[in-house]
Amino acid sequence: METIDADQIITGYVEAYQKLYNRRPKDMRRLENGWVIVNGAQMRLTELTFLTTQLQLEYRRGQDERRSVVNRLLKWFKKQ
């Protein structure tokens, strides 16, 4: 895997993690041959890509849930 691809994967993970948890991940290091260390766990870049997708989905679910609550409150206030 090229260095640019690895950097993009890592950057994508850091951005997704930061959006979801409002902080940067601890101990984020790139190793050789497509391996990285994230929060003390060693994994392949392909696994990190999957994990990034999961974080993005979780963030979207939270946003959708908040939006739903706000919409229900607005409807309730309109009825009052």
Side-chain angles (χ1 to χ4, degrees):
M1 190 165 287
E2 292 183 21
T3 303
I4 295 171
D5 290 339
D7 290 341
Q8 288 173 341
I9 292 169
I10 291 169
T11 300
Y13 174 81
V14 170
E15 289 171 356
Y17 188 95
Q18 198 162 7
K19 281 171 82 174
L20 185 60
Y21 297 115
N22 295 321
R23 62 184 165 89
R24 294 182 63 81
K26 297 177 186 176
D27 194 23
M28 186 78 194
R29 292 182 282 147
R30 185 173 39 164
L31 304 175
E32 297 176 350
N33 300 323
W35 288 90
V36 290
I37 292 183
V38 180
N39 295 328
Q42 184 174 336
M43 64 183 74
R44 290 205 165 274
L45 285 169
T46 53
E47 295 168 317
L48 187 62
T49 301
F50 177 76
L51 188 56
T52 300
T53 302
Q54 296 298 3
L55 291 176
Q56 291 167 340
L57 287 172
E58 189 64 32
Y59 178 77
R60 275 188 235 124
R61 269 191 225 122
Q63 292 295 311
D64 290 344
E65 188 175 306
R66 280 187 222 114
R67 199 172 297 118
S68 174
V69 168
V70 170
N71 285 334
R72 284 185 289 183
L73 281 171
L74 288 173
K75 286 178 185 177
W76 186 82
F77 282 121
K78 285 181 182 179
K79 289 180 182 180
Q80 300 303 319

